[in-house]
Each structure stands twice: as structure tokens, then as C-alpha cells.
Amino acid sequence: MGIGNCLCRKIRYEFDDEPSDVSFCHCSICRRSSGSAFGAFFEARNESVRFVAGADNLARFNCTERLQKQFCPNCGTMISVTHADYDGVTYFALGTLAEDVNVTPEYHQYVGSKAPWHEIGDSLPKYENGSDD
């Protein structure tokens, strides 16, 4: 089991599964919403996740017709992302994990959109668009 929270700890969650599909997304949406070179996420099955604080206060932003980001309205921490094409799972921001959880990054996606000032320096697989190119 793992736990996570936002910066101000008003939103807290737990999950039963091991984090899976751990990835770095270089799309322009993830870069802008993270304020960094990429977003870092893990996948969790919705039935394995419980919000133990703040679920009713999660703010939502529809980035596109299919992509929605959830974040803390108090401190601004991006908590998770849902995508209409991937029903039953939520992608949680790796930086919200509150304890050491065994995560192993698996790949980079949308590297065709990566920031020109960022060089990827690891040997993980790189996908021009999504991970299912």
C-alpha cells in the first residue's frame, strides 16, 4: 500500500496496488502543468485508490475534451490525471507520493514535444507520441 498527499496535506490518498506504468510525459500540457521539463506519473486502478482527506475539494481542469487534471485548490499541487480513453485508471503525479514506494520508471512519452532545452539522459525507451506508438 502507498500513500500520497499535496503540499499542504489537505488532500491525501491511499492505494493498494503497486504503482504501475511509471512514465515521464514530455507533452506540452504536462510541461506547463508541472512547470518543468516533463510530468512524472504512475497508474493506479480506481478501485485500489481511496481519498482519505479532501476528495470533495479536488479542483478539476479539462485540458482537452479527453484529458482532465485534478489538483489541490489550496496549494496548487497537481494530484492526478484522468483520460477518457483509459477508463478505470487514474494517473497520479509521482511527486505526491508521501513515502518511499518501489517505483521504476519505464519509459518517456511524447518526446516529439519535449522542451528543446532538456536532454533526456537515461536509457529508458522513448516514444515520439504516446507509449502505444
Side-chain angles (χ1 to χ4, degrees):
M1 181 171 88
I3 58 173
N5 57 262
C6 64
L7 182 61
C8 69
R9 299 186 49 81
K10 288 188 178 204
I11 297 179
R12 296 190 306 274
Y13 65 91
E14 299 175 340
F15 57 97
D16 297 325
D17 296 341
E18 289 293 320
S20 64
D21 198 28
V22 180
S23 66
F24 302 124
C25 184
H26 296 266
C27 79
S28 62
I29 293 170
C30 286
R31 286 189 287 113
R32 285 185 180 88
S33 65
S34 71
S36 187
F38 51 84
F41 300 96
F42 70 91
E43 179 183 281
R45 293 177 309 120
N46 291 344
E47 62 264 16
S48 79
V49 177
R50 291 169 305 288
F51 280 89
V52 295
D56 294 339
N57 296 326
L58 271 175
R60 292 169 171 75
F61 176 72
N62 292 323
C63 302
T64 69
E65 290 181 12
R66 300 178 321 192
L67 183 70
Q68 183 184 80
K69 301 226 177 222
Q70 295 82 38
F71 59 96
C72 175
N74 187 59
C75 67
T77 300
M78 180 179 49
I79 303 293
S80 58
V81 177
T82 54
H83 196 292
D85 292 348
Y86 302 102
D87 195 30
V89 297
T90 298
Y91 298 91
F92 284 86
L94 275 175
T96 64
L97 291 174
E99 60 183 31
D100 287 336
V101 175
N102 186 21
V103 295
T104 303
E106 298 173 38
Y107 59 91
H108 293 268
Q109 64 181 345
Y110 293 97
V111 296
S113 300
K114 80 172 191 60
W117 44 263
H118 175 68
E119 291 299 321
I120 299 171
D122 59 46
S123 61
L124 294 173
K126 295 165 191 64
Y127 299 99
E128 197 69 16
N129 293 314
S131 62
D132 54 357
D133 286 351

